[in-house]
Amino acid sequence: MTDRLPIYEIEQGIVDCLRRSPRLILQAPTGSGKSTQVPQILVEHGFAESGQVVILQPRRLAARLLAARVAHECRTQVGGKVGYQIRFENVSGPETKIKYVTEGILLRQMLKDPKLEGVQSLILDEFHERHLYGDITLARALELQATARPDLRLIVMSATLQASLLENYLQPCTVLSSEGRTFPVEIQFSRRSTGSLAAPIWEQAADAFANYAQKGGDGDVLVFMPGSFEIHQTIRAIGDRPESKGFLLLPLHGELPPGDQDAAVSRYDRRKIVVSTNVAETSLTIDGIRLVIDSGLARIPRYDPNRGINTLLIERISRASADQRTGRAGRTAPGICVRLWSSQEHIDRPLQELPEVKRLDLSEVVLTLKAAGISDLRSFRWLEPPDEPSLAHAEELLIDLGALRLAKPDSPHEGAQDTAELPERVSAGVGNDQKGEPILRITGLGRRMLAFPLHPRYSRMLLAAHEFGCVYQACLVAALTQGRDLLIRNPGKEAERFREDLFGDQVSSDFWILMKAWNYAAENQFRLDNCRKAGIHALTARQVAPLLSQFLRIAEREGLSVEQNSGSDAALQKCILIGFSDRVGVRLDQGTLRCELVHGRRGLLARESVVQKSRLFVASEIREIEGRDKLVNTLISLATAVEPGWLSELFPEDIQKQPRVFYDSTARRVYAEERLLFRDLPLERHRIETPPADAAARLLAEEIIADRLSLNHWNHEVDQWILRLNRLSQWCPELGLAPIHDDDRRHLIEQICHGAFSYKEIKDKPVKPIVKSWISSAQQEALDQQAPERLKLANGRTPKVVYVADGSPYAALRIQELYDVRETPRIAMKRIPVLMHILAPNMRPVQITQDLDGFWKEHYPRIKQELQRKYPKHEWR
C-alpha cells in the first residue's frame, strides 16, 4: 500500500518545510516512494491549487512509467489528472495536476512562458545524476523564484546527493532526510580481475545467477548491463543455464517499445530476471528483487570539443552509482548484490559521475540560454561551470550556423558587428558586457531554430530547406536521426539482396537509403514480415511517422512550405551541408576508407556508407565508439556527397588559396604547391615547379638542425672555429666580435642551403667559407692571433688548442714534448691560461695544470721516477 511507503514518515515534515520556505532538498533512499508519492502529497496539501506539480525526470522511460504508476494509484487514466510529456510526445491535458516531464521540456516551456504561470511546484528528481538540462533548469528556476515567482515551490530530490554543494547553491533552503526502511544487502565482490583474459561480462553474470540459484536463493533478479547488445547476450547466457528454468527473462532499456518496457516492471506469478541498462538504477522500482548482479559498466556519452566528436564508450560506473544499484536488492527483504569486479578495483573507482555539463555538447543549451536573455554565459549561475573549450566550441558552432552574432552590449539583438575576430574572442571568453566588450547575441534565425526540438544543426537544416524547396524531405531526414538505427546491421544475405533491388546503387547520401527504407516500411504499414525482409527495425520505422508529422506541423506553423514536392537531391544535399559545414571531409585515397575532415580530424568512413566513391562529402555523424573487440574507432557515418562548387556558393568567405612549401622526407626534397582550402581542409593541390628559395632553404635547414640530414663538411674544425669566436668575444669584448648563437647558426645553415631544393644539392657543399664570412677579414686575423688553432711553444712545438663552451681551453702533449717549456701559454691578450694536459708515453694524462713552472719543480721528479721504470727507452731529463 502506498500509505505504508517510508516517505510518508516525513510527510508532515515536507509540508511544514514548504510552508516555511520555498526551497527544499529531500534525501530519501531508493524505493522509499519519493518519485511517486511526493507529488501526490503536494497535491493533497494544497501545493497545486493554482497550477501543476511538475516533476523533472532524467529519462523518458522513467517519466512515462512513473506517470502510469501514479495514474493507477489515483484511479485515473494517464493524460487526465496525471500525465507526462517527453520529447516528441505529450500525454497531458488542461486538468492535469501531476505532470512528469523530461528536463529539456520545461526549459523550453520557460522560453514560451518565462513566469511558468501554470506551474505551482517544481520537483527535480534523481538530481544526483547531474544531467545537463537539470542543472540549467534549476538555475533558471532559482532566478525565476528570486524575481517574478517567489511563490514557486522548488524541491530537489535524490537518494544520494552532494548535499553541501547543493545546499550552498540553494541557500536559503531546508534539508530533509528520510532514512526509509531498506533491508540489509550483502555485497559480494568478484575474485577475478576484469582484465583482457576475463570471461565476457554476460558469462560472468550467468555464473553469478547460477551460483545464487544453486544455493536456494529466492526472489527476482536484476542484472545491470551497459547496452542492448550486452543485455541480449546476458539473456542468452542465463537462458542456457539449467538454473533459469521457470524464470521469466525480460530486457529493459530505452529502445524497447512501451509494451516491452511495461512488461519488465510488471508483477508476475513466476519469478523473473530483468536485465537492464542503468535506466533501472534510479526512479523505477521493480518489486521483488532479491539479487542484483552488477556489471559495473555503463555506456557514457561524452563530447570532445577539441575534436568535435561524440563518444559513446563503455566505462566503469562510479561508487555512487554502484550504491544506487545495490539498493535495488534491499527494497522488500534482505538481498544480495554481486559486483563483477574486485574490492580493490572498487576503491579505484570515482566517487561520483562527472556532471553532464562537463562532458556533453553544449550548443543546444547555449542557444536556449541566449534566447532567454543570458548575455554573459560565463557569469551565469552555474551549479558547476562548464569547461571553457566546450563553451567556446558551442558558441563557434552557433556562429557558423548563423544563430549567434557578435554585438555591442547596448546594441539590439539583431545588431550586426564585424565578426572577423570572433574565433579569437570566443576562445578568450569574450562576452562580459559589464566591461563594455562585444558579446554574443541570438539572431532572428537562432530564435526560429528554437522552434524545433532538435539539435541546432538539424534546426538550421530545416530552415534552409525552405529556401531550397525541400522542407518535407529535410523533416524526414531529421525524424530518421532521432531514434535508434533504422537498418539492422548484418541482416543476412537475403535481406542484403532485397536491399540492393530496393535502394539501387546510384545514390549520393546515406540519408537517401534511410528515406527509401522508411518509405518502403510506411507503404507496407510497418508490417513486421515486410520490414524483416528488408532488414528494417519495424518499431523504429513506426516511431519515425509521428516525429515527421510533428516536425511538419512546426514547420508549417513557422511559415515554411511543407508540400511534398519532388525537390532535387542537390537541394537537400545543400541543406545538409549548411547544417554540418564543420564536418566536411575528403577521402585520403581510394584504396581505404581513411578520411580527413575540417579542423584536422581524421577517421574511417563507415563500411556501409554509399558515398565511398565520392571524394568530397559532409558527415552528419562522427563518433568515437568502443567495439565488441574493445578497440576504439573514430567512425564517420551518415555521409552525403558534396560538390566543390557548393562550398564556394554557400561559404564563399571560407574558401581560400594558400601556397604551401613542404619537405618530403622520402624524396629528401622540398616541394611547393598551391592548395585550395575550405577553412583548413585541402580540397585541391597544384604542384609549383620551383619552390621559393628562402622557404626551401629554411626547410632544409630545419632538417639539418634536427639531425635528420647532415652536411658532410660541417665537421669538428667548423665547430671549433665557432667556439673560438664565441669564447674570444667573451674574453675580449673590446674586439667587437659578434658571437654565433643558435639562431645565428640556423641562419648560416640556411645560407649554405640557399638555392638548393634537395639534400643531394647540399650534402657536399663547402661550409667553412660561409661560416668564416660571419666576421670581417680583420676580425678573422684577430681571431687567429688571440684564439689560435695552435700554440707556439718555446721549444718550437705547435700543439692544437681545444676550445670548450663552458671551461678553459686546453692542449695535450707528452712530457717529452714539453721539455724546455717553463711558462704556461696564455691566449686572448694573455688573459686566459691554457690548461695543459701532460701525458705519459702511453698518451694517458699524468697531470692537468695551468702552472707549468710548478709542475717541473714539484711534481715532475716523482712522476719521472715512476714512469722511467715503465718506459726506459724514452728520453728523461
Side-chain angles (χ1 to χ4, degrees), residues 745-764:
R745 182 187 293 260
R746 178 187 297 271
H747 174 77
L748 287 169
I749 295 174
E750 287 182 16
Q751 191 175 341
I752 294 166
C753 296
H754 201 273
F757 305 104
S758 69
Y759 177 54
K760 183 178 180 180
E761 297 174 82
I762 63 170
K763 64 178 181 178
D764 291 318

Side-chain angles (χ1 to χ4, degrees), residues 5 323 381 397 434 437:
L5 286 169
D323 290 342
R381 188 175 177 174
L397 173 60
Q434 293 179 348
E437 295 182 11

Side-chain angles (χ1 to χ4, degrees), residues 335-350:
I336 295 175
C337 176
V338 178
R339 292 175 174 173
L340 302 179
W341 65 94
S342 69
S343 56
Q344 181 58 48
E345 287 176 304
H346 187 72
I347 296 172
D348 296 335
R349 289 176 179 245

Side-chain angles (χ1 to χ4, degrees), residues 708-753:
R708 291 187 288 266
L709 298 178
S710 61
L711 296 169
N712 291 340
H713 295 293
W714 191 296
N715 51 26
H716 177 72
E717 184 181 352
V718 173
D719 287 331
Q720 279 292 293
W721 190 91
I722 293 174
L723 276 171
R724 288 165 57 204
L725 172 64
N726 289 352
R727 297 312 307 270
L728 187 59
S729 70
Q730 296 172 346
W731 296 329
C732 303
E734 65 269 29
L735 294 177
L737 298 174
I740 296 176
H741 299 303
D742 288 344
D743 288 344
D744 304 319
R745 182 187 293 260
R746 178 187 297 271
H747 174 77
L748 287 169
I749 295 174
E750 287 182 16
Q751 191 175 341
I752 294 166
C753 296

